[in-house]
């Protein structure tokens, strides 16, 4: 018994290449978004490390300010 293949099966290939281009665009934008996200995370971590390494002196006396 022979049956007619459905349009969703692999046997029929699309005539235009628009699906391939859209997949490439999706991968490209995903890679760009991932890079931007990584840079933002690295920047936040670097800021937090820098902030923790700097000593915090909120109330300096007037004599300490004069010594600087």
């Amino acid at each position: 018994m022979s049956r007619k293949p459905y349009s969703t099966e692999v046997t029929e290939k699309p005539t235009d290449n628009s699906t391939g281009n859209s997949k490439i665009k999706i991968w490209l934008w995903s890679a760009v978004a991932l890079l931007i996200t990584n840079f933002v995370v690295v920047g936040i971590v670097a800021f937090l490390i820098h902030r923790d390494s700097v000593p915090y002196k909120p109330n300096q006396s007037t004599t300490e300010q004069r010594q600087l």
Side-chain angles (χ1 to χ4, degrees):
M1 242 176 132
S2 173
R3 65 178 177 85
K4 188 174 184 178
Y6 294 104
S7 61
T8 57
E9 290 186 3
V10 182
T11 56
E12 291 185 20
K13 294 183 180 179
T15 55
D16 61 325
N17 198 11
S18 62
T19 56
N21 288 337
S22 64
K23 287 182 181 180
I24 291 173
K25 287 180 184 177
I26 290 172
W27 278 104
L28 184 66
W29 283 113
S30 298
V32 169
L34 187 62
L35 281 173
I36 292 171
T37 304
N38 286 338
F39 283 133
V40 169
V41 169
V42 167
I44 291 171
V45 170
F47 169 74
L48 293 174
I49 290 172
H50 172 71
R51 188 185 67 173
D52 288 344
S53 66
V54 175
Y56 179 66
K57 297 179 183 177
N59 296 324
Q60 288 183 339
S61 66
T62 54
T63 56
E64 289 175 348
Q65 289 177 353
R66 289 180 189 158
Q67 290 174 354
L68 295 175

